Amino acid sequence: MLQLTEPIDLDPKQFIGIPLALVGAVFLSLGAQFQHRGVAKVEARTNQADKGLNGRQMMALLGRPSWVLGTVMLGLAIVFQLTSLGFSPIIVVQPLGAVALVITAVLNSRVSKVKLNRSSIVSIMLCVGGVGLFVLVAAFTAVDKPVGTRELIVILIVLAVVLALFAVGFAFLRRRFKAIAYIVGAGVLYGFVATLAKVVISRIFQADFEWLTVLALIGLLAAAALGGYFVQNAYSSGPPDLVIAGLTVIDPLVAVGIGILVLGEASQAPLWAMFAFIACGAVAVVGVFGLARYHPQAQH
């Protein structure tokens, strides 16, 4: 049980991951903007919006320079994110991607020449404010924990169930999927990607690369592939700042939930910090759904 007087053993090196995660957030924002532009151009040519991207459209994206450039930038974002995870707990660096939301909102407003309304701005402030306070609390209360075999097995079992549910749901409800559904799906899957990346990195550092680690790597790639497909479909049915809002809130909440419940990264956090985590997460989620409802480009 958590005690208010329990000492918190902080490792100074975990703060190194924060600036690395912030640089990754910048690349995430730019990558989202360029990928969204590429998806919009492909859909304009094929005239098949609202049906989900098919295989031919996905291949056509490879011929769009803007989409390819965006993919490269997202690749750089992943590199910085993984590097930050090597230094810091998931619950410290993963939520910092919310910085990308502000950058994306400004860029998209300039590029699309669509001015954000007041409700959208308030929603963005809720997202960033909730996540920012979450990181502030986590940075001083979270600790890195070695990933044991039991924890990894639990994560892989939960991921297998999630992948199966999303695959079945998408197969039968594909035509009903809207932007928010794609975003939630991608956010949940990317939360597992971040967690498994942390697991693989930790086990490599522990010189414990065996069959279970290989299985974790396979699970990571499967979640990344399906999550990436959901993201491209989200771009086709919603503005890029809505997509980023979902990813930078839902993704961290899933990763943080696993970090707290399975990996024990908040095991030394005082009781007040746990309530702060819940409150900040709730504020950020309200912001995401507010943006989905009130964003000028989402009202169609």
Side-chain angles (χ1 to χ4, degrees), residues 76-116:
L76 290 173
I78 292 172
V79 170
F80 277 97
Q81 182 188 50
L82 294 182
T83 305
S84 70
L85 287 173
F87 288 99
S88 308
I90 292 175
I91 67 175
V92 173
V93 299
Q94 193 65 15
L96 287 170
V99 173
L101 173 56
V102 178
I103 301 172
T104 305
V106 173
L107 281 177
N108 184 58
S109 180
R110 295 289 182 87
V111 172
S112 63
K113 294 181 174 58
V114 175
K115 186 178 180 179
L116 291 173

Side-chain angles (χ1 to χ4, degrees), residues 220-296:
L220 185 159
L221 295 174
L226 184 56
Y229 180 68
F230 280 3
V231 166
Q232 302 312 312
N233 278 280
Y235 286 143
S236 73
S237 52
D241 37 352
L242 173 58
V243 177
I244 292 298
L247 293 182
T248 56
V249 171
I250 296 169
D251 168 348
L253 288 180
V254 172
V256 164
I258 296 172
I260 292 175
L261 299 176
V262 181
L263 303 183
E265 291 186 345
S267 60
Q268 296 186 38
L271 187 59
W272 66 264
M274 303 304 293
F275 286 111
F277 289 151
I278 294 172
C280 293
V283 169
V285 169
V286 169
V288 172
F289 282 92
L291 199 59
R293 180 176 182 180
Y294 299 114
H295 194 289

Side-chain angles (χ1 to χ4, degrees), residues 129-147:
V131 170
L133 290 174
F134 189 106
V135 172
L136 183 62
V137 175
F140 291 96
T141 59
V143 292
D144 245 340
K145 292 281 188 177
V147 183

